[in-house]
Amino acid sequence: MTTQAIAGALKGPGNNGGRLFSGTATDGAYTAINSTTGAAELGFAMRGQVVDNVALSYQAGSALWVIRNRVTQQIDRAGMCFKTGTVSPDGYPIRPLTINQNHILQTYSLAAGTTYLAWIWFAGKPPELFNATVADGATGSMTTTAAAGAQGLGSFADQTVSAIKVQGPDGKIVSYAQVIDGNGAEQYAALGSERSAAGGYPKSGSENLCSGQIAFSVMRGMEFNITVAA
């Protein structure tokens, strides 16, 4: 399996300070990223501090990050990484989280190719990681990873989607995303774009598509599809 370097900083408001984190990620798997100084897990490096910004960069391809409780395995925060050299000056703002000793920082990276990643948040629950391999100029249906059973959106019937974020490989364009029900009818749609390489608005360098806050109920047979530019 391929690997790549991950580097970045986690920081908080006021006098909470911040720490640099870095490591080598194995593509296609979750990899723990520890503090640059002391190689400490997040829960020990920043225990008791409030974090409201997670800015991490990868070398090439795509990458996501999570702050996970290593005891319960629950994801408490999740987001997208930036390609090296494109991190926004404002970093990647998140909802404030007080770090406890069980928290670990992990990334999920992919080498350059045609596989797209997405976080889908469900109301009152941790986010689910979806992925799909989609050729240029084609449409593909996103499912959970193979390790999580490769389930489509309809497998989460009766839950409420609260947000969706999509990240494609470097230089790729997500034209739009759609939620299609079991009868083939369109229930949701959003436009996407190419990620910015200029390090501008905080999330534009790390996300190809962001739904913002939404709320719709999932029904059996639903699919979450993305269409990629040629």
Side-chain angles (χ1 to χ4, degrees):
M1 299 181 74
T2 57
T3 62
Q4 58 180 298
I6 302 289
L10 277 67
K11 61 182 181 179
N15 66 353
N16 279 277
R19 295 287 298 271
L20 295 176
F21 284 76
S22 57
T24 300
T26 298
D27 294 331
Y30 282 107
T31 303
I33 304 297
N34 296 330
S35 64
T36 302
T37 301
E41 291 182 346
L42 173 61
F44 292 97
M46 301 186 72
R47 182 172 55 185
Q49 295 176 247
V50 175
V51 168
D52 68 355
N53 200 293
V54 179
L56 296 173
S57 66
Y58 64 90
Q59 288 181 300
S62 55
L64 313 177
W65 61 263
V66 299
I67 295 177
R68 187 192 301 273
N69 185 307
R70 62 186 169 124
V71 176
T72 66
Q73 291 300 301
Q74 178 172 303
I75 294 174
D76 288 335
R77 296 291 185 275
M80 312 288 198
C81 302
F82 300 82
K83 184 176 181 180
T84 299
T86 71
V87 178
S88 167
D90 293 325
Y92 191 103
I94 64 168
R95 185 161 51 90
L97 174 68
T98 300
I99 301 300
N100 66 54
Q101 66 180 14
N102 292 324
H103 278 137
I104 57 175
L105 175 66
Q106 294 179 312
T107 58
Y108 185 95
S109 59
L110 294 175
T114 58
T115 298
Y116 292 73
L117 300 171
W119 285 121
I120 298 183
W121 279 263
F122 297 95
K125 297 180 179 295
E128 293 284 345
L129 174 59
F130 280 63
N131 67 176
T133 299
V134 186
D136 293 349
T139 297
S141 181
M142 302 198 79
T143 66
T144 59
T145 61
Q151 302 177 84
L153 180 61
S155 297
F156 297 87
D158 301 323
Q159 297 191 41
T160 300
V161 174
S162 58
I164 299 171
K165 298 177 185 288
V166 178
Q167 184 187 83
D170 304 328
K172 299 293 186 180
I173 299 172
V174 176
S175 299
Y176 53 86
Q178 297 168 292
V179 173
I180 305 297
D181 68 20
N183 296 316
E186 183 181 59
Q187 297 296 329
Y188 174 82
L191 294 180
S193 65
E194 181 178 357
R195 286 189 280 135
S196 170
Y201 175 73
K203 307 284 178 79
S204 64
S206 60
E207 299 169 2
N208 291 79
L209 183 147
C210 178
S211 70
Q213 292 299 309
I214 56 178
F216 69 83
S217 296
V218 178
M219 297 180 291
R220 294 195 182 279
M222 275 187 167
E223 294 186 352
F224 176 59
N225 299 337
I226 59 169
T227 297
V228 177

